[in-house]
Amino acid sequence: FISFLENVVPTKVKTSKKLIGTDDKSNISNYKYTNLVEICPLCKDDLLYLPAKTARNLGNISRLVIVKNISEVIHLLDPLTGQVGQLSADQYWRDPLRPVITAARSRMTRFVVLGKEPVVLQRNVSKKSATRKLRSQLATLTLAREDDLGINDKQFEENSHVGYLMKSGDV
């Protein structure tokens, strides 16, 4: 079970064994094994503020990132440039991070997409050229609160790392 967890999420494992009893005649010992497994508390869509050294080690990524996915490594995404980085379990446990904002779906406000325009980056923040794939991921979205539709005409324009997936009318 522990090896399964290590392959699925970043974990820290401590194992101990305690001698319960021995039989000197048959040379048999009984041990009690105890395993302590600490699982990384980060979740998908959590907002993190990375230490400067960690950001530099991840390819000079921005310090404010979103957790894109968690597997045996933590996949991080800079929402403003589309740059990605991977934080291994060893790197994480050396300097554990706590989220600035957790992705509690119940606290989120629902918005309706009114339009979108792709954002083409010539260079990202880290001075490395963005790949063609990353250039197409960012988009400027025109949004309106779902609760305010028909009441007022207040619209918001935001850059989004998932803008390429959105289309007009999405919530």
Side-chain angles (χ1 to χ4, degrees):
F1 179 72
I2 293 173
S3 62
F4 167 74
L5 281 178
E6 288 176 328
N7 290 328
V8 177
V9 293
T11 58
K12 183 168 51 172
V13 179
K14 290 184 183 179
T15 304
S16 65
K17 71 178 185 178
K18 181 179 178 183
L19 179 65
I20 294 176
T22 59
D23 183 6
D24 291 334
K25 291 183 180 178
S26 60
N27 206 16
I28 295 176
S29 301
N30 290 330
Y31 291 98
K32 177 182 179 182
Y33 291 92
T34 305
N35 297 308
L36 173 69
V37 180
E38 189 173 350
I39 298 175
C40 171
L42 299 177
C43 296
K44 182 181 178 196
D45 296 331
D46 281 353
L47 184 67
L48 299 177
Y49 188 71
L50 299 175
K53 185 178 178 183
T54 304
R56 232 182 352 265
N57 290 341
L58 294 175
N60 216 13
I61 195 168
S62 172
R63 293 178 70 185
L64 196 62
V65 294
I66 292 177
V67 176
K68 183 179 177 186
N69 187 15
I70 294 187
S71 57
E72 64 272 1
V73 295
I74 301 166
H75 301 272
L76 304 172
L77 171 74
D78 179 359
L80 300 178
T81 63
Q83 186 179 2
V84 295
Q86 293 183 349
L87 193 64
S88 70
D90 292 336
Q91 289 173 314
Y92 174 79
W93 291 113
R94 225 177 289 130
D95 189 16
L97 305 167
R98 296 291 172 239
V100 176
I101 298 174
T102 59
R105 303 264 184 233
S106 61
R107 296 184 310 201
M108 293 188 181
T109 305
R110 294 174 60 96
F111 286 86
V112 176
V113 178
L114 302 176
K116 78 170 185 177
E117 292 180 27
V119 173
V120 178
L121 294 175
Q122 298 303 322
R123 291 185 152 223
N124 61 13
V125 176
S126 69
K127 306 291 190 270
K128 293 181 180 180
S129 62
T131 64
R132 186 171 299 268
K133 181 180 176 185
L134 293 180
R135 288 182 186 154
S136 64
Q137 284 188 343
L138 297 175
T140 300
L141 299 175
T142 305
L143 307 165
R145 277 196 186 102
E146 189 178 45
D147 296 339
D148 293 346
L149 284 178
I151 298 172
N152 62 26
D153 292 333
K154 192 168 185 180
Q155 295 180 356
F156 305 94
E157 282 199 6
E158 295 294 328
N159 287 340
S160 175
H161 63 287
V162 292
Y164 72 102
L165 294 172
M166 301 288 183
K167 59 184 182 290
S168 293
D170 283 349
V171 178

